[in-house]
Structures are given as structure tokens and as C-alpha cells.
Amino acid sequence: MTEPAITPDLIAAHGLKPDEYDRILEIIGREPTFTELGIFSAMWNEHCSYKSSKKWLRTLPTEGPQVICGPGENAGIVDIGDGPDGKKLAVVFKMESHNHPSYIEPTQGAATGVGGILRDVFTMGARPIAAMNALSFGEKDHPKTRSLVHGVVEGIGGYGNCFGVPTIGGETRFHPAYNGNCLVNAFAAGLVEADSIFYSAASGVGMPVVYLGAKTGRDGVGGATMASAEFDDTIEEKRPTVQVGDPFTEKRLLEACLELMATGAVISIQDMGAAGLTCSAVEMGDKGGLGIQLTLDHVPQREDGMTAYEMMLSESQERMLMVLRPEKEAEARAVFEKWDLDFAIVGETIPEDRFIIVHGNETVADLPLSKLSSEAPEYDRPWVEPAPAPELEPVAEVDPIDALRLLIGSPNYCSRAWIYEQYDYTVMADTIRTPGTGAGIVRVHGTDKALAFTSDVTPRYVRANPVEGGKQAVAEAFRNLCAVGARPLATTDNLNFGNPEKPEIMGQFVGAIRGIGEACRALDMPIVSGNVSLYNETDGQSILPTPTIGAVGLLDSLDDMIADTIRDGHVLMLVGATAGHLGQSALLWEVFNREDGDAPPVDLEAERRNGDFIRANARWINACTDLSDGGLALAAFEMAVAGDVGITLDPGDMPSLFGEDQARYLIATSFDKAEALMVAAGQAGVPMLTVGRVGGDAVRIGGSEAPLAELRAVWETAFAAHFG
């Protein structure tokens, strides 16, 4: 087949700027072949190279005594102490985006996002134990929103349920800024023995490079490049760049990989994700300081006549690349044949710094391997401080029950049961806390320990004030973990922004990174893995800046868990100081259709002090939730629904009820325990006051009331009414 001529239009179609192409010519000293152009395009696009974000990502805290492996591998790894047999255990976790594919083809885009993040976890030797997702959609009445919601939820549920991993939490939001570009962020976590972790760096010269898993097809060719560009009116033409997933094959791949790892045959292993065979081979070679030679004729293919370009850039799912101990080849092959998966030696490691691709006895690519990764462009993009949010105008008083009814009837704050009931959250039988009630909790099988997981960000805060919004995302994750009694361990970030070539968008990114870094340091929650997703724009309209924070916490004993519900006779107590901050609040948006005022300030010292107080006094607390969107009123209502009992709140003014001041928790306890808590709070310097009582069958706020059953019906039926 005759290769196309390398023209300026072809270069641009590969997402390469003219100066980047000039750099390629300088590196290789000649014009690239078509396959080589594709390889450079894949390795140098934003999705794989982080060329606009590397400078700022290096400022994040990534180390701590609990960290076994930080950013740079497939996933982060954190120590969680001894397992049932005395061996040290670790939790492996990461969050990653599949935004562009999910907007183009929602079901497969979301499904393969789940599949990809699961492979990131088990390629390190861990068995997945939990999944979450963070979803952002456009306004509920937009023509595409309903089909996107249905498709994405179907894709996540279909893949996770068939694979057999519990989906135990997440978040979902709706805002017009996502009308043209939804966000699908997938999180997965797994368990591994600390002495059985596998990494991706190749080692040894002349070692066989082995292809594992499903066959290669044409699906997903150019997917990474597509994910590094804005959308426009050619969006439908991008549908072939979306991958197709098969969860049953992935389940077999998991079991085969874990069985193979136990044989000692694996030197290094890498998931074939973005840019497929290209990225996985280059990363393995570069990390090990070796070259790689591949013979594509040996690659298992499910379509006839595939070119070298297609094979190198295909993002077909359920595939791995491995460097194998040659003496273990027969044993390794037998494992994969048993699981009815492909096993093919497709190349070898070489001492020279070369990435050599042979197809049909012809060398179609011969490039300096290290330059593909280490010499990728790195930009210090111009940025400006975002303009301050409009000053907060006076907020009218409204009946608090009417305001609450509007909140709980909106798609942003109603029950998410319609979503999570389509997910299997009990598979593996270790899920302790079901979705919809705060952080998800999963037992560490065979021990008395548990892990808590949460995902958080408030995009309107980040747009109004990127630094404070970045801090708040980490702080809310910290609070969600503390509210169930878990000790926060570490975080993963999924940084979703618009076009970084626009200084105001880059300013959002820089500010959010600053805030995230400050909070992670102050709260001892280092970033151990993550993903950057840029160019989330359609026709120049950007999403809200959405730096999602996934966080993991540890319960050393199930006895430390705060997971009860409120009961008749309990006292409601508020931990933390209330100033009544209404800027950028849920009340403003849902009740008054306004987005003005600054984001709430985040006092990291208070966050740390108040969270430590909650965990230290867990034995006195029956139920606990952090206060975030919707403030005290929404938190108390959600407690009432969970306990199926009425509540009375004493405050009557809007700022006290719906303000979104940070570092606050609402706790419920018996009267005698409340006195002990007040004493402990005074000793710890933690603000605390009684704000209400539990009892009856109504929600009473500031002299206004409504039957709990009536409000529950609004909350439970709103999502299905919008999207069912």
C-alpha cells in the first residue's frame, strides 16, 4: 500500500504544530514515514505527553511515608499495613478520564474508560476491589443530555458488572458548561501484597516482548490524538476513534495476568491504553533505558490487511505488553492458552536507543526511542489570573422548606439511586456502605480493616477562584473520609480543563494546581497518580474547570467506622465555624439561577483540626456527614432520609441554613454523649454547637415544616422524572 505524502494538512491532522514537526525533522534528520508520523503524533499529543501540564504537575506533593509508588507508573500505591498472613498489603489506585470518547459514543466510551482504569490497577499485580466514577453532563433539558446520561450509565454498569468489581461511589453533576463536552472520570482501586508489585520498566537485553490478551483491530485508531483536541462540527467523523470493550475478555485477562505473575515469568508489564502498542512499548523501553524492536506480522489481528500505522495506533481494548523471562515462555504461553487469550512474541529488547518497527520484512519505523518520550515538547504556556467572580449581590429571604424542595428536586441534589442501582455494588461481598450515603467503604478481605473511597470537586468554586476551589476539592475529600472514621492516606487527581492555549484557561489550571498542592501538603494526602484532560471545549466553549480529586482512607478496625443513622432522640451538633458564606452556593444556583460571589475560603489548619477531632471521637458519634453543597439544611435532610426520621433545625436565616462555609461536619449523638463531645471539642479548640434535634415525621427548619415523606418523594423521584 502506498503511504500518503507528508503534507502540512496531514501534519495538522495528526495534532502536530509546524514547529513540532520541525523538531521531529531535527531529531531524525529526515522526513518521517507515515507510520513514524503517527508514532510521534501519539507520543507527543497532550493526552500522552502532558506537554502543557508537566511544569505544574511537578509542583505537587507526591511523597510520604505511606507512599510505595507515586506518579509515573500505571497507578499509585500506598501502604495499608499487614494482611491476614502478616504480609504487608498495599492499595493501588488511579482516576483517569474518558471524556471525548464518551461524548462521541457514550456507552462504549464510558465502558472502555472503566476497562482502561481496571487494567491500570491489575497490571501492577493488584486485584481490583472497588470502582467509582465522576460524571459531568450538560443542563437537563439539552437535547443530548438524556442520551448521554443513559449511554454513560449503561456503559459503566455493563462493563463493571460483567467484570465483577463493585462500583461503590462517585458523583454526578449537571451544568450548561458541559452541554458540548461531558466528563467521564473513572476510578479503580485494588489490593496487592507489597512484595508482589509489578512495574513497567523493561530490563535485560534480548528479552522477548510479548503481546497478551485480545486481538488488535482498527477501533480506536487515533483515539489519543482525538482526545487532545477541541470538538467542532466534525464531531461525528470522530466516531471510529472510539474503542469497543469486552468485559468478559478483560476478566479473563485479569485472571491470566495474576496467574502469570505468580509464576515469576514477568520482568515488566504495561497496559495497552492510549496510543496502544506505541505508547506501551515506548514507555517500557524508556523507563528501562533500552530499545525495542517489534515485528508486526506476529501481532494477533482480528481484521484483514491492517497496516503498520493501524496496528501501532490501534486502541483495541483488553491488551497488555510484557517483557518475559525467556526460560518461562512455555509456562507463560500455557497460562494464556488456558484462559483462551492470545499470547504472541512480537519483539525483543535491544541495547541501542532505537524503536524499530518491522512489517512484511520492511522496516517501517526506526526512531530514537528515548526521544519519543523524554524529548516530547514541554510548554510553559502563557497564563493570566482569572478575573474575579462578580461580587455577591444581596440574597433574598425565601421560605427554607421551599428552598430545600427546589434543591432536592434538582438533578444536582436529588437521589442518585437511578444511577447506582444499575451498578453492582455488592459483588465480592466486601462492600460495607452502599452508594449514596457518603464515602464508599470496602472491607479488606480476611482482615478487620477497611478502605474508604471518595471523589470530590465543586467546579463553580474553581471557576470563581481556582486556588480556593482547588483547595476545597481536596478538603472535601478529606472531610468525606473523616466523616466515616477513616484516616486519609493519599489522593489521585483527574484535571479536566479547556484549551490550555488560552491564557485564561491556563490560569485556571495553574491556580487549581496551587490550591491542590497546598491542601495535599497541609492534610498529608499526597498525589500518587492521576490524569490531565485538556481541550474539553466545543466550538470554543469551555467546560467549567473540573479538577476531580479521588481520595483513599484507611480504617484500621471496623470498630472505628462511623456508619450509623440518626434515631429518635438524637441531638444534632455542628462542628466548625459558620459565617454564612453564600457566594457560588447551591442555593444561589438552584433557587435564584445565579453564580456570583467568591468561592468559600478554605482554612486548611481548621480542616485538619476538625477532621482529626471527628476521628479521635468517633466512639461518641452515631452518625456524621460533612457539610458542602447546600450547607446545613441539605446535610440534615439527607440524614433524615437515611434514618427515616424527622428533624428540627434551630437556625432560621438563609446564610446559616444554606451557607457553604468549609471545615464543617453535622453529627448526631445521644444527649449524654453530646455533653462529652462538647468537653472534648473545648479541649481541642474545635467550634461546636447544638443546632437541632431528631424526632417525629417532619422536617422543621426555621419555623417552617413539611412531612418527611413528602420531601422524600420529591428527592427520590426527581432523577427518574428528568431522565428515566
Side-chain angles (χ1 to χ4, degrees):
M1 181 181 294
T2 303
E3 290 197 338
I6 308 298
T7 64
D9 286 346
L10 187 66
I11 293 164
H14 281 75
L16 292 165
K17 301 286 172 57
D19 60 318
E20 292 174 339
Y21 183 70
D22 290 342
R23 189 168 179 172
I24 292 171
L25 296 179
E26 184 180 328
I27 288 171
I28 65 176
R30 56 175 171 80
E31 185 177 88
T33 66
F34 182 54
T35 300
E36 290 173 334
L37 182 70
I39 290 170
F40 269 108
S41 166
M43 293 304 302
W44 285 15
N45 66 55
E46 196 74 57
H47 191 73
C48 294
S49 73
Y50 295 88
K51 58 191 177 186
S52 296
S53 57
K54 276 190 288 194
K55 169 185 169 68
W56 300 102
L57 296 178
R58 293 191 190 102
T59 68
L60 292 171
T62 60
E63 298 178 345
Q66 72 275 42
V67 178
I68 295 173
C69 176
E73 275 292 340
N74 289 286
I77 308 179
V78 174
D79 181 7
I80 62 168
D82 293 341
D85 55 4
K87 290 186 176 180
K88 183 185 288 188
L89 289 177
V91 58
V92 179
F93 63 98
K94 187 182 183 183
M95 181 173 265
E96 196 160 73
S97 62
H98 229 223
N99 304 335
H100 284 53
S102 298
Y103 189 77
I104 297 168
E105 213 302 305
T107 301
Q108 288 302 331
T112 52
V114 174
I117 201 67
L118 289 169
R119 287 195 303 280
D120 280 339
V121 167
F122 71 74
T123 193
M124 303 201 73
R127 180 174 289 278
I129 61 163
M132 294 192 300
N133 52 81
L135 312 176
S136 301
F137 298 106
E139 54 195 330
K140 70 179 189 298
D141 297 324
H142 188 271
K144 279 190 71 78
T145 300
R146 180 185 169 89
S147 63
L148 287 170
V149 170
H150 278 260
V152 165
V153 172
E154 179 186 351
I156 292 169
Y159 204 100
N161 297 353
C162 294
F163 179 85
V165 63
T167 300
I168 49 88
E171 55 182 340
T172 306
R173 70 181 55 84
F174 297 84
H175 190 281
Y178 304 103
N179 280 346
N181 198 125
C182 66
L183 302 183
V184 175
N185 294 175
F187 171 99
L191 286 175
V192 66
E193 291 182 355
D195 60 358
S196 300
I197 296 167
F198 287 82
Y199 296 99
S200 59
S203 64
V205 174
M207 297 294 125
V209 175
V210 184
Y211 174 114
L212 307 169
K215 289 179 168 56
T216 293
R218 291 186 172 93
D219 52 320
V221 172
T225 301
M226 174 271 293
S228 303
E230 294 182 35
F231 284 150
D232 55 26
D233 56 10
T234 65
I235 186 170
E236 286 301 317
E237 298 171 14
K238 297 178 171 67
R239 191 174 298 275
T241 63
V242 179
Q243 312 92 328
V244 177
D246 179 355
F248 298 108
T249 297
E250 179 118 330
K251 176 65 172 175
R252 287 184 287 122
L253 183 62
L254 162 70
E255 300 299 342
C257 284
L258 294 184
E259 185 175 334
L260 180 64
M261 289 166 174
T263 69
V266 179
I267 295 175
S268 65
I269 188 165
Q270 174 77 33
D271 158 44
M272 281 196 230
L277 194 53
T278 290
C279 195
S280 56
V282 169
E283 288 188 1
M284 289 175 77
D286 189 52
K287 289 175 184 175
L290 293 167
I292 300 279
Q293 177 165 328
L294 299 178
T295 302
L296 298 185
D297 304 82
H298 301 154
V299 170
Q301 300 161 53
R302 70 166 184 262
E303 299 186 50
D304 294 333
M306 290 192 70
T307 65
Y309 178 96
E310 291 169 331
M311 279 187 272
M312 292 305 298
L313 299 186
S314 167
E315 294 182 10
S316 294
Q317 296 293 286
E318 294 87 43
R319 302 181 300 159
M320 296 280 199
L321 199 64
M322 174 183 70
V323 176
L324 172 74
R325 299 190 190 282
E327 68 274 14
K328 295 277 191 177
E329 178 187 337
E331 188 176 0
R333 187 182 296 275
V335 169
F336 272 75
E337 287 178 349
K338 182 184 84 171
W339 287 100
D340 194 24
L341 293 165
D342 279 294
F343 177 101
I345 295 176
V346 296
E348 65 174 352
T349 58
I350 58 177
E352 300 84 10
D353 178 24
R354 307 304 298 173
F355 189 41
I356 301 172
I357 311 299
V358 178
H359 186 221
N361 295 319
E362 178 187 353
T363 299
V364 294
D366 185 353
L367 301 169
L369 186 144
S370 64
K371 304 291 186 187
L372 291 167
S373 180
S374 60
E375 292 294 316
E378 180 174 336
Y379 297 121
D380 185 1
R381 300 271 190 204
W383 61 276
V384 296
E385 296 276 359
E391 276 195 38
L392 181 65
E393 298 292 333
V395 180
E397 288 285 330
V398 296
D399 183 280
I401 291 293
D402 289 343
L404 177 64
R405 190 179 280 109
L406 287 171
L407 280 179
I408 63 177
S410 77
N412 280 308
Y413 302 109
C414 64
S415 169
R416 297 295 192 272
W418 185 91
I419 295 178
Y420 64 72
E421 285 176 356
Q422 297 183 56
Y423 304 154
D424 188 341
Y425 48 80
T426 61
V427 65
M428 301 179 77
D430 282 317
T431 303
I432 294 175
R433 192 169 187 180
T434 60
T437 53
I441 305 175
V442 174
R443 181 188 299 108
V444 178
H445 199 78
T447 76
D448 193 38
K449 298 179 180 181
L451 289 164
F453 304 98
T454 188
S455 166
D456 296 287
V457 68
T458 307
R460 63 181 182 275
Y461 292 173
V462 186
R463 181 176 63 182
N465 188 327
V467 175
E468 292 302 314
K471 286 184 196 174
Q472 192 275 340
V474 177
E476 187 175 345
F478 175 84
R479 291 198 302 272
N480 277 334
L481 297 176
C482 291
V484 298
R487 172 166 50 91
L489 289 178
T491 56
T492 180
D493 58 7
N494 202 151
L495 307 174
N496 308 273
F497 290 82
N499 185 343
E501 297 169 49
K502 297 178 179 178
E504 64 275 16
I505 299 295
M506 198 64 208
Q508 292 176 346
F509 184 87
V510 171
I513 287 283
R514 281 176 49 201
I516 289 168
E518 285 181 42
C520 287
R521 288 185 187 90
L523 302 175
D524 286 339
M525 296 171 70
I527 300 275
V528 297
S529 59
N531 171 243
V532 178
S533 175
L534 303 177
Y535 295 95
N536 289 290
E537 297 197 1
T538 297
D539 294 327
Q541 296 299 307
S542 174
I543 61 162
L544 292 180
T546 311
T548 309
I549 299 294
V552 178
L554 177 66
L555 288 150
D556 292 306
S557 168
L558 292 173
D559 293 337
D560 300 331
M561 183 170 60
I562 307 170
D564 204 352
T565 55
I566 62 173
R567 297 174 189 169
D568 196 1
H570 277 165
V571 178
L572 296 176
M573 308 181 79
L574 180 63
V575 173
T578 298
H581 186 96
L582 288 175
Q584 299 296 327
S585 64
L587 177 80
L588 276 189
W589 175 239
E590 300 293 352
V591 178
F592 298 102
N593 195 28
R594 287 168 48 186
E595 290 182 287
D596 50 324
D598 200 357
V602 179
D603 182 338
L604 293 169
E605 185 178 330
E607 293 282 4
R608 180 67 178 262
R609 181 185 62 240
N610 296 356
D612 289 350
F613 170 80
I614 294 291
R615 297 197 315 278
N617 293 280
R619 67 190 182 281
W620 304 110
I621 300 171
N622 291 85
C624 179
T625 184
D626 84 299
L627 267 61
S628 53
D629 285 25
L632 173 62
L634 186 57
F637 168 77
E638 290 174 346
M639 273 191 162
V641 169
D644 195 25
V645 62
I647 52 110
T648 298
L649 290 180
D650 297 329
D653 62 290
M654 303 300 283
S656 296
L657 289 169
F658 295 97
E660 296 180 5
D661 306 284
Q662 301 296 294
R664 298 189 302 160
Y665 300 82
L666 181 62
I667 62 177
T669 190
S670 60
F671 187 80
D672 56 331
K673 292 177 183 175
E675 187 174 351
L677 275 168
M678 290 293 283
V679 172
Q683 293 171 342
V686 171
M688 188 163 76
L689 73 160
T690 302
V691 291
R693 296 158 300 287
V694 178
D697 57 6
V699 174
R700 300 177 180 85
I701 305 177
S704 185
E705 68 175 83
L708 176 61
E710 176 199 319
L711 295 178
R712 176 197 284 276
V714 172
W715 181 74
E716 288 183 340
T717 60
F719 203 93
H722 294 309
F723 303 110

